[in-house]
Amino acid sequence: MALNKFSFLLVVLFLLAAGQAQSVEIRCQNAEYAKKTIEFFTYSDPVSGKTETAFTLQFDASGKAVANTDVKETKYVFSDFGVFRGMLFLEAGKNIELKLPPFKEKSFADEKNPYFSPVPFWFITENKNVLTDKVSEFDQFFNYLTDKYFNQLYIRQSKAAFDSIKTELDKKVPDTAAKTLIWYKNLKLKLIEADIFRMRPEAYSSELNAVTSEYWLHPAFMELFNKTFDRQLSFSAQAIRGSEVKKAVETRNLPAVKSFVENKYKVSGKMAELVLLKLLHDAYYSDEFSKAAIKELVRNPLFVQNSNSIIKTATKNILDKFGFMATGSKAPVVCLNDLDGQKKCTNKGQSKFKYIVFADVETRVCQEQLKYLSRIDELFNKHLEIYVILRNTGQESIHHFFNEQKVPAEKLVDTDNEFIDLYKIRSFPQCFLLNEKHEVVFEHVKTPLDGFEQQFGEWLRNELFMRQRNQSK
């Protein structure tokens, strides 16, 4: 009897330990990375694309780095450094020693290209047999097979070739393998199957019901999920009987929209709620639906108070995303040093509108746009302050340009890309118009050469007229 009690206690202790986060140590050494910093991120949900810091590797003068992070269940993390995106799975209780590739900085063209995409790879570890190594080995074999049978797969759409690849991959990753690796294999196979045979989302979407939330933040699921449901509510609204979908959204009839999703895609439970959230997120940016209606649907307790933590997090992230830089919202205050090293903030005055221009003076298009600010200032200086937030391309190039061009603006240098990242700048130039209270006036503001003069001029006349009329009442 005592032995049975002892065995029961051991089982309880094991289960409690399994449910708790465990510290994982990540270490590496490579002299090429001396004094560099590599930050690793993880996705917080599969819909909004928001990331959060997982851990940071800070290399010393010899190129050695050590970091620790807590891991409760297998976690996918990644880091963009130089031209690479390094990917890694962390497993609870399993320390990792990484092998780093030769460091390769972005070229000048890469730095200026807004569509630059880093080269993805799975890290190799000194451990040699952890999950990341197995996924890396699988991907290499997967890529070899799809390259070998490329013509049969993508040109001839040969089912025999696909079945042959599936058989080979099933041998590589049998049913006895780790569950994460099995799901990685199955989802990658479904992704290329859908591509090869031009499958409609509803032809295979029901298979996602089996994917539990512990895999929702893993790359194979996120890739398949986003490809499957990308803009699907908008496509449905444009199809025959699409008016029914639009009516359900416009009338804020969430049960009707949810029923449509469940019936069309044969999804249920938490997967149906995740799919519905994805469809509403994409629909917000489609101009097919009322933005106010979409916001109200996403604010529904079904999402906001969802028992699934990932869906609940996704809801918060999406609502934050909808509200960011929306008309009437408060814009983040930019505080940076100007060209003389003096700290300046965009909220210093409250008597004028603020035209904020994010720019890179090493690009010709930005140079021409910045030159035209003289005309903007000439027309509107009575009512408008101009701020130029500069990408840090080096003091010499910045000072050289502004010494030649007397641009009438506060010129602030974003040394660490802090506000470029905060304002989600993807390409240069990008502009914002704020009122005296630092609130967003337009969601889409034109650049100096592409129509800001007309956009602001017309709006300003109406705004001043309305203010004068309101004062006279």
Side-chain angles (χ1 to χ4, degrees), residues 233-235 237-238 246 250 283-290:
L233 201 63
S234 300
F235 295 148
Q238 296 166 9
K246 293 194 76 168
E250 297 301 324
Y284 181 85
Y285 298 100
S286 69
D287 295 328
E288 287 283 342
F289 305 92
S290 158

Side-chain angles (χ1 to χ4, degrees), residues 360 362-370 428-429 449-450:
D360 179 345
E362 286 188 339
T363 63
R364 184 62 180 270
V365 63
C366 281
Q367 291 176 4
E368 296 304 315
Q369 295 276 2
L370 292 175
F428 301 91
L449 281 173
D450 295 328

Side-chain angles (χ1 to χ4, degrees), residues 47 69 203 324:
V47 180
T69 185
F324 180 75

Side-chain angles (χ1 to χ4, degrees), residues 132 149-150 180 241 266 269 277 334 344 346 369 424 445 450-451 469:
T132 298
Y149 293 102
F150 183 86
T180 299
R241 298 180 64 187
K266 303 297 185 291
L277 200 53
V334 178
K344 301 287 179 64
T346 53
Q369 295 276 2
K424 298 179 172 57
V445 179
D450 295 328
R469 190 174 73 170

Side-chain angles (χ1 to χ4, degrees), residues 361 372 406:
V361 296
Y372 198 74
K406 307 303 179 185

Side-chain angles (χ1 to χ4, degrees), residues 455-468:
Q455 182 188 36
F456 181 62
E458 182 179 347
W459 179 86
L460 182 62
R461 284 192 295 272
N462 292 334
E463 178 69 9
L464 294 177
F465 172 77
M466 292 300 296
R467 290 185 182 187
Q468 187 176 16

Side-chain angles (χ1 to χ4, degrees), residues 190-461:
K190 184 54 64 178
L191 184 65
I192 66 160
E193 183 183 10
D195 270 347
I196 291 164
F197 302 114
R198 316 291 193 269
M199 296 171 69
R200 296 171 64 86
E202 54 268 34
Y204 64 90
S205 51
S206 62
E207 296 178 39
L208 293 178
N209 283 319
V211 187
T212 55
S213 60
E214 66 184 295
Y215 304 107
W216 287 1
L217 303 180
H218 292 188
F221 174 79
M222 289 183 64
E223 187 178 5
L224 179 61
F225 177 78
N226 285 297
K227 182 178 178 61
T228 301
F229 300 108
D230 182 44
R231 296 172 289 172
Q232 283 299 306
L233 201 63
S234 300
F235 295 148
S236 296
Q238 296 166 9
I240 297 172
R241 298 180 64 187
S243 58
E244 295 178 13
V245 177
K246 293 194 76 168
K247 182 180 178 182
V249 172
E250 297 301 324
T251 57
R252 284 68 163 170
N253 189 343
L254 188 62
V257 183
K258 186 170 183 284
S259 178
F260 164 78
V261 169
E262 291 172 335
N263 291 331
K264 180 172 183 179
Y265 300 106
K266 303 297 185 291
V267 286
S268 58
K270 294 303 175 186
M271 182 55 64
E273 293 166 7
L274 185 69
V275 172
L276 177 56
L277 200 53
K278 163 69 175 170
L279 266 58
L280 291 172
H281 168 272
D282 292 359
Y284 181 85
Y285 298 100
S286 69
D287 295 328
E288 287 283 342
F289 305 92
S290 158
K291 283 181 164 55
I294 297 288
K295 282 183 181 178
E296 193 169 329
L297 288 170
V298 175
R299 290 193 188 105
N300 190 282
L302 173 68
F303 301 121
V304 175
Q305 299 171 15
N306 201 284
S307 59
N308 181 280
S309 62
I310 295 179
I311 293 176
K312 194 172 182 179
T313 298
T315 304
K316 180 185 181 304
N317 291 341
I318 289 168
L319 290 172
D320 288 346
K321 192 174 176 181
F322 288 170
F324 180 75
M325 300 304 286
T327 299
S329 66
K330 281 276 189 181
V333 175
V334 178
C335 287
L336 292 166
N337 288 342
D338 64 13
L339 300 187
D340 297 319
Q342 301 298 311
K343 193 161 193 175
K344 301 287 179 64
C345 296
T346 53
N347 67 342
K348 69 172 184 178
Q350 297 187 353
S351 60
K352 295 183 180 182
F353 297 96
K354 304 166 199 307
Y355 187 39
I356 298 179
V357 182
F358 284 83
D360 179 345
V361 296
E362 286 188 339
T363 63
R364 184 62 180 270
V365 63
C366 281
Q367 291 176 4
E368 296 304 315
Q369 295 276 2
L370 292 175
K371 290 175 187 178
Y372 198 74
L373 286 174
S374 297
R375 173 62 177 166
I376 301 296
D377 181 68
E378 180 185 321
L379 289 170
F380 303 116
N381 66 77
K382 184 179 177 181
H383 301 286
L384 189 70
E385 296 174 336
I386 303 173
Y387 291 86
V388 176
I389 314 301
L390 296 162
R391 185 182 189 181
N392 186 22
T393 53
Q395 292 295 313
E396 186 177 342
S397 59
I398 291 173
H399 282 279
H400 177 74
F401 175 78
F402 288 108
N403 285 337
E404 286 191 348
Q405 306 296 328
K406 307 303 179 185
V407 177
E410 288 280 13
K411 297 169 277 289
L412 311 179
V413 183
D414 195 356
T415 306
D416 299 318
N417 285 350
E418 177 186 357
F419 293 98
I420 288 171
D421 292 341
L422 184 59
Y423 272 74
K424 298 179 172 57
I425 305 302
R426 297 287 178 262
S427 60
F428 301 91
Q430 193 164 332
C431 304
F432 301 90
L433 179 66
L434 312 180
N435 65 16
E436 305 96 325
K437 298 177 182 178
H438 219 266
E439 297 168 338
V440 177
V441 175
F442 303 135
E443 286 192 30
H444 303 289
V445 179
K446 296 184 178 181
T447 59
L449 281 173
D450 295 328
F452 177 74
E453 183 180 325
Q454 291 77 25
Q455 182 188 36
F456 181 62
E458 182 179 347
W459 179 86
L460 182 62
R461 284 192 295 272

